[in-house]
Amino acid sequence: MILQITRRFTIIFTALAAFLGLDRKRGKAFQNPTEVERIEHWYRNHDRVWVGGEFWSNPMEDWRIHDGWVQCQTTAGNRSIHSVTRQLTNPNLPFVMSVELSHAAPIENDGGAGFRLGVQSDLNEYRSNCFAKNGLDAGLVKSSLVLGQTSSPLSAMPTKAHVVLTLQSDPQGPKCALTLSAHNGVNGKQLGSVKQIVPSQALLGNIALVSQYQGAQRRVPSPGYRFRNWMIGGNAITHHPNQRFGPLLWTMYSLSDSRTREGFVLKLTALTGPLGKGDNHDVELQIKRDGEWNTIGNVKLDHESWTATFRIPNWDETIATPYRVVYEQSFKTGGSDVDSWRGTIRANPADRPLRLAALTCQNDYAFPYAPVAQNIVKMKPDMIYFSGDQLYEGHGGFGIIRDPAEPAILNYLRKFYQFGWSFRDSMRNAPTICIPDDHDVFQGNIWGEGGAAMKDLDKGASSKGGYREPARMVNVVHKTNCSHHPDFYDTQPVEQDISVYFGDMVYGGVSFAILGDRQWKSGPERVETGSGRADHVRDKNFDTTVLDKPGLALLGERQEDFLRVWSKDWRGHTMKVLLSQTVFAGVATHHGGFNGYLKADLDSGAWPQTARNRAIDIIRESMALHINGDQHLASLCQYGVTKQRDSNWSFCTPAIGAGYPRWWRPDEVGMSHQNRPQHGIPHTGEYLDGFGNKVYVYATGDPAVATKGPRYERAHQKGSGFGFVTIDTRKKTYTLDAFRFNVDPTDGNPNNQFPGWPITLEQAENRGNNRLG
Ligand SMILES: [Fe+2]
């Protein structure tokens, strides 16, 4: 939008024009001083949390649009608003920017406010730049203008620090002269200016507004700075409108053969940022058939999860159908903007193998995981599976808000949005199954105890049974991850009214059972590990059979009952897959550090042993391949119950961005094995895991000890990547790939995969009809 001059803008424009005119005289002018754009619309937005698709607020829960300003809710330090659609890319060309700032109430520990430039991650990529901790500050600190290392006092300090800051560049070869000036926000009087010459390269990256350059880390509930009228001009700054993130953030969908009169049922969830009371809350779903867009659904957004879920029965699954979700953003000044997000509902892969991308665990040091995200787009899977840890508690910085529910939900949502920001281009075109795990509900581990509230909250959130977070927040986690899944098998909530999400999806002649494998699991405090930590067994000589007490749950009765029915139900499909969070065996001997020996980890699906064996006994006849994640250590193994290799195979996929490392090095710690596979890879064969469970380990994707700094090299080193499973319903085979992080999976390089992959399993191998050796 070219600046429209209204009364309010006159002052700011006068200030800008002064600089522009000065520049023009020196022959380095902007060609047209009116090419200064206002880059935000806060003056016309309704009051709300979400600051608009052109921006990323750090952190989202600490900002509100209020009365035309974007207002920081806290005086804690380093709260920022990044432009996501505009980056400073050509510092050899001039730029100018201007913003009006003030504080609504006095700030006790005034740490200043204004611009930050040159915010740049190791990638200098706009999304990752939003979380970089560097940059050049140019703003007001107490009663001085501060520009990098230079400062200059103002002649006077206006009421409420209400000033217009203007920053202008004057490129001079490899350097750039910057001039920062302040004008009184009410009468336009100049209050001072400061200059500094900086290396041009230091300006590359994101541009942002910052409340409290200095401030406490702890969130304090008194308001910080507020901003409006952010204007930008000059060719140093590149505008990419297609980088906008919202109001429609992304969509996820599933398509499943209900095997009822409803035929194939499409479920699709659209997400928006948290809107205000005055905003429109209706989302429309349209499909394109015979060249025409037709509306097939209109749904109201859920006001906690900001999701709109469509359910369309009797879907024609035989053809690929373009869709778009439409949202009309209304303005308090009148008028509206229409946003749409589009993709394709793929045809049911009925006549060819189904290709599934299987992913897990995204630690944000590797955000936005572009090598993996782009490979998934490139491989055009028929279906995508995220098995949990779509976020970690530390995602995006600024800490966790655990309660009360309302800010905890906002704190969760902005972390979850980083997941969609990374993977939305693949999810738009393929059915996606997405299940939450422990970190998604802000716990290092979870033993759900049927929805019980965690007790002894002062003892940490990761070594006890139950849910730490308010049930309202947990239910938002479930809605944002799973609301687009096929209808759940049994919707009865568990304790605290926490929702459940187990069920199945029948697609491409394959039935996928979807579990929450820790939702009913017993907590570790029900047993005694003797290690000082309830969930870890460190002593090699500890007798882990004592941990298998009667009555302990793994999947819980309701999911076991579901699996019994599912294992026998072959309507509409000929092959099965079990999707759950983690592997039913302890396939890791070292945790955390290279020498961090751990005999047994109660967080794995290896415990409790009797419940683990019962789960496998139930699914054996289904001949399902179990696909899971969580471990940050890819593994391929076959479960044994009565004897070795009598049951299903498990593929624990590599982490998208592996954080906490694990290794499987049983030979080094003296665990004996039988029947090493023909490939002869060390640490493979038939073992008893730390709990005494029978497990045939065929391959693992152990990491190197991380030494590299750049995020993608580091992620690669740490054993990150993704799984890919091709399910051939004619040949009755599963072909499994475990790709490393930084590879091109289509170039045929054998080193693209972890040692031992790819392999092809026959369906009946999942009930112990073994072929592979
Ligand atoms: Fe994880």
Side-chain angles (χ1 to χ4, degrees):
M1 181 191 90
I2 299 300
L3 179 70
Q4 308 282 314
I5 298 179
T6 65
R7 200 174 64 82
R8 177 179 283 170
F9 302 150
T10 310
I11 297 161
I12 301 132
F13 189 70
T14 308
L16 278 174
F19 281 102
L20 295 167
L22 182 69
D23 220 18
R24 219 171 29 248
K25 275 182 221 154
R26 291 168 52 176
K28 293 179 183 175
F30 298 92
Q31 290 180 345
N32 179 353
T34 58
E35 281 178 11
V36 179
E37 282 183 84
R38 177 178 198 146
I39 66 162
E40 41 75 26
H41 309 293
W42 298 320
Y43 68 97
R44 60 177 183 171
N45 288 129
H46 294 282
D47 291 357
R48 66 186 188 202
V49 171
W50 188 66
V51 298
E54 297 85 1
F55 305 98
W56 178 265
S57 51
N58 272 325
M60 182 176 82
E61 62 272 18
D62 283 349
W63 292 91
R64 297 288 182 279
I65 296 177
H66 180 71
D67 204 15
W69 296 80
V70 64
Q71 166 75 60
C72 190
Q73 302 294 295
T74 174
T75 52
N78 260 318
R79 270 48 186 174
S80 61
I81 306 275
H82 280 244
S83 169
V84 303
T85 53
R86 286 176 173 83
Q87 280 74 43
L88 207 154
T89 56
N90 304 309
N92 299 328
L93 298 171
F95 70 88
V96 62
M97 68 172 86
S98 167
V99 77
E100 192 178 343
L101 65 86
S102 84
H103 47 68
I107 295 176
E108 207 172 296
N109 299 309
D110 187 355
F115 301 114
R116 182 169 287 161
L117 289 88
V119 194
Q120 198 186 121
S121 75
D122 55 303
L123 302 173
N124 189 15
E125 179 274 348
Y126 72 102
R127 291 168 294 183
S128 56
N129 288 352
C130 289
F131 308 99
K133 293 192 170 80
N134 50 17
L136 178 92
D137 294 340
L140 183 70
V141 179
K142 296 199 166 71
S143 54
S144 292
L145 282 174
V146 172
L147 176 53
Q149 303 302 317
T150 318
S151 74
S152 167
L154 296 183
S155 58
M157 186 60 154
T159 321
K160 296 182 177 174
H162 186 181
V163 303
V164 178
L165 281 181
T166 307
L167 180 67
Q168 194 201 6
S169 80
D170 182 7
Q172 301 172 351
K175 296 197 168 171
C176 189
L178 295 175
T179 307
L180 176 71
S181 70
H183 291 73
N184 185 307
V186 178
N187 59 24
K189 228 174 120 185
Q190 179 149 358
L191 301 168
S193 73
V194 60
K195 292 188 184 199
Q196 190 176 14
I197 295 176
V198 299
S200 303
Q201 295 300 307
L203 299 173
L204 285 172
N206 275 22
I207 53 176
L209 303 175
V210 179
S211 168
Q212 295 283 87
Y213 292 125
Q214 307 284 328
Q217 271 202 321
R218 240 187 88 244
R219 184 172 279 105
V220 271
S222 56
Y225 278 90
R226 58 184 185 174
F227 301 91
R228 68 183 179 191
N229 289 325
W230 190 1
M231 294 195 291
I232 284 179
N235 291 330
I237 295 168
T238 315
H239 187 202
H240 297 283
N242 60 344
Q243 288 176 187
R244 192 167 47 82
F245 187 39
L248 289 165
L249 303 175
W250 78 97
T251 55
M252 294 189 276
Y253 80 88
S254 71
L255 182 61
S256 182
D257 183 358
S258 70
R259 297 157 298 165
T260 69
R261 267 190 225 156
E262 290 192 319
F264 274 75
V265 179
L266 170 71
K267 298 256 306 260
L268 183 145
T269 292
L271 295 97
T272 67
L275 301 170
K277 277 199 184 105
D279 279 305
N280 173 26
H281 292 172
D282 293 327
V283 182
E284 220 174 301
L285 175 62
Q286 301 181 338
I287 56 167
K288 197 175 197 178
R289 292 236 162 113
D290 307 321
E292 294 280 316
W293 284 108
N294 296 306
T295 298
I296 58 166
N298 210 310
V299 167
K300 282 229 177 304
L301 285 158
D302 179 292
H303 288 183
E304 297 231 290
S305 57
W306 299 100
T307 54
T309 301
F310 300 87
R311 183 182 188 280
I312 314 289
N314 298 115
W315 181 262
D316 182 355
E317 83 286 2
T318 61
I319 50 166
T321 304
Y323 72 91
R324 68 182 183 194
V325 171
V326 179
Y327 173 73
E328 187 175 350
Q329 185 179 200
S330 58
F331 301 117
K332 67 180 186 186
T333 50
S336 62
D337 258 356
V338 176
D339 187 25
S340 71
W341 178 256
R342 57 180 69 193
T344 299
I345 309 296
R346 297 173 70 83
N348 182 39
D351 50 359
R352 57 187 173 79
L354 184 158
R355 298 165 63 254
L356 168 72
L359 302 100
T360 192
C361 294
Q362 30 200 303
N363 194 306
D364 78 336
Y365 77 88
F367 175 81
Y369 332 102
V372 172
Q374 288 168 5
N375 278 335
I376 303 302
V377 171
K378 188 172 176 178
M379 292 172 85
K380 294 192 170 66
D382 293 297
M383 178 175 165
I384 306 172
Y385 167 47
F386 292 95
S387 61
D389 293 354
Q390 277 69 257
L391 55 91
Y392 287 82
E393 292 90 323
H395 243 60
F398 302 98
I400 316 175
I401 301 178
R402 292 202 173 276
D403 26 44
E406 213 164 305
I409 288 168
L410 295 178
N411 183 264
Y412 161 75
L413 285 176
R414 54 103 171 164
K415 294 170 184 172
F416 189 68
Y417 293 162
Q418 288 189 246
F419 154 62
W421 215 2
S422 302
F423 289 100
R424 61 182 181 156
D425 280 328
S426 51
M427 296 191 283
R428 70 203 296 166
N429 294 325
T432 299
I433 294 299
C434 182
I435 54 176
D437 199 10
D438 40 17
H439 294 283
D440 301 285
V441 292
F442 293 175
Q443 294 184 219
N445 299 301
I446 189 163
W447 296 267
E449 289 276 5
M454 188 180 281
K455 298 187 185 91
D456 303 323
L457 297 186
D458 53 327
K459 290 183 186 161
S462 301
S463 300
K464 293 187 301 291
Y467 285 81
R468 169 61 184 85
E469 290 303 297
R472 265 174 72 192
M473 182 274 198
V474 174
N475 285 340
V476 165
V477 175
H478 292 179
K479 268 189 189 145
T480 47
N481 280 273
C482 311
S483 57
H484 66 285
H485 286 186
D487 299 349
F488 308 135
Y489 180 76
D490 161 2
T491 55
Q492 182 69 32
V494 288
E495 273 185 55
Q496 303 191 76
D497 252 344
I498 287 177
S499 56
V500 303
Y501 53 83
F502 63 98
D504 68 345
M505 168 162 148
V506 177
Y507 177 68
V510 181
S511 178
F512 297 87
I514 301 157
L515 297 187
D517 69 22
R518 285 146 166 177
Q519 209 170 2
W520 280 269
K521 190 174 175 180
S522 303
E525 65 270 48
R526 291 172 179 267
V527 294
E528 181 49 65
T529 60
S531 74
R533 191 173 147 167
D535 53 332
H536 282 178
V537 178
R538 293 204 176 276
D539 178 0
K540 203 182 238 181
N541 300 314
F542 184 86
D543 176 11
T544 48
T545 58
V546 305
L547 303 175
D548 188 23
K549 293 207 303 199
L552 295 176
L554 175 60
L555 301 182
E557 279 178 33
R558 287 170 60 190
Q559 292 192 115
E560 288 177 357
D561 289 345
F562 157 65
L563 283 180
R564 277 187 199 95
V565 174
W566 176 77
S567 294
K568 290 179 170 42
D569 175 3
W570 289 94
R571 292 172 303 137
H573 63 280
T574 58
M575 293 179 79
K576 289 179 188 281
V577 169
L578 171 61
L579 303 177
S580 86
Q581 284 82 352
T582 201
V583 49
F584 300 161
V587 192
T589 52
H590 296 78
H591 288 231
F594 189 76
N595 294 317
Y597 173 75
L598 201 62
K599 176 168 185 169
D601 177 9
L602 278 71
D603 176 51
S604 77
W607 179 79
Q609 297 95 318
T610 296
R612 174 264 188 190
N613 287 338
R614 188 166 62 243
I616 297 168
D617 282 341
I618 294 169
I619 61 169
R620 186 180 302 107
E621 68 178 300
S622 77
M623 296 182 285
L625 169 68
H626 184 195
I627 309 177
N628 50 74
D630 163 61
Q631 293 288 318
H632 319 164
L633 168 59
S635 67
L636 179 60
C637 65
Q638 184 177 17
Y639 302 139
V641 175
T642 307
K643 56 184 174 80
Q644 286 283 4
R645 303 196 61 189
D646 62 7
S647 307
N648 312 65
W649 282 75
S650 157
F651 180 17
C652 176
T653 66
I656 296 163
Y660 184 87
R662 291 187 178 88
W663 288 263
W664 170 249
R665 306 199 311 270
D667 299 358
E668 280 179 30
V669 295
M671 290 168 72
S672 64
H673 70 274
Q674 304 283 318
N675 299 318
R676 179 148 289 170
Q678 281 169 8
H679 58 47
I681 297 172
H683 311 297
T684 61
E686 295 169 6
Y687 290 90
L688 295 178
D689 72 14
F691 292 97
N693 298 303
K694 297 176 184 69
V695 60
Y696 175 60
V697 179
Y698 186 85
T700 57
D702 295 82
V705 174
T707 54
K708 296 191 175 172
R711 68 186 65 199
Y712 292 156
E713 288 173 43
R714 190 176 182 83
H716 188 88
Q717 221 181 5
K718 292 186 70 147
S720 310
F722 65 99
F724 210 83
V725 180
T726 304
I727 306 165
D728 189 326
T729 52
R730 271 192 211 143
K731 291 188 188 153
K732 300 285 182 285
T733 57
Y734 306 84
T735 299
L736 315 180
D737 299 290
F739 290 108
R740 293 177 182 273
F741 186 89
N742 219 348
V743 301
D744 177 354
T746 62
D747 70 6
N749 183 338
N751 296 324
N752 288 346
Q753 300 210 34
F754 290 97
W757 282 273
I759 73 150
T760 296
L761 292 171
E762 288 179 4
Q763 181 181 28
E765 290 184 81
N766 288 303
R767 64 170 178 221
N769 295 10
N770 297 323
R771 183 188 57 88
L772 211 67

